[in-house]
Amino acid sequence: MKTFSERVVKIALLIPPGKVTTYGRIAKAAGGGAMASQSITAILGKAYDEGEKRIPFHRIVYADGRIWIDEGHRAKRLALYKKEGITLKENKIQNFQDKLFEFK
């Protein structure tokens, strides 16, 4: 059986272009409890540093549709959102429920 961290990475890679999901939905799909969502960024960051460069960080958002964005990543992330047809207003996904990817 894979570890929680391995499951998180595998699940994050399933988010399709043009869709977003939340930290909490990833944690739940990986078998984690309510507090596990707080570890998602660290787990994915570690996987990225260890060589997994396909992680779609821009497709992982907060539960209310807000995005995390810093100045160092702003231009690249905004270009990815535009390319995938995801529109933002004040750092929040427009039509969030329509763009939300649910794990089955």
Side-chain angles (χ1 to χ4, degrees):
M1 180 164 190
K2 294 185 182 240
T3 66
F4 177 71
S5 294
E6 290 169 329
R7 292 190 305 270
V8 165
V9 173
K10 182 178 178 182
I11 287 164
L13 294 173
L14 296 174
I15 308 164
K19 295 288 186 176
V20 296
T21 198
T22 66
Y23 297 97
R25 283 173 172 83
I26 291 173
K28 183 178 177 183
M35 298 302 290
S37 61
Q38 296 178 7
S39 65
I40 300 303
T41 299
I43 290 168
L44 295 176
K46 181 178 178 187
Y48 182 88
D49 291 342
E50 291 175 353
E52 180 51 78
K53 304 301 184 190
R54 301 173 297 156
I55 297 169
F57 289 101
H58 67 289
R59 296 181 193 143
I60 305 168
V61 302
Y62 296 109
D64 65 357
R66 285 179 301 119
I67 63 167
W68 177 89
I69 195 165
D70 67 354
E71 289 308 314
H73 296 93
R74 180 173 293 277
K76 182 178 180 182
R77 289 221 177 157
L78 292 178
L80 288 169
Y81 287 126
K82 184 176 182 176
K83 178 181 177 184
E84 295 185 14
I86 298 172
T87 56
L88 304 173
K89 183 176 182 181
E90 298 175 7
N91 291 340
K92 197 168 183 179
I93 303 291
Q94 292 287 287
N95 302 317
F96 178 55
Q97 292 302 317
D98 295 334
K99 296 294 183 181
L100 188 58
F101 179 73
E102 298 281 1
F103 299 97
K104 307 270 188 226

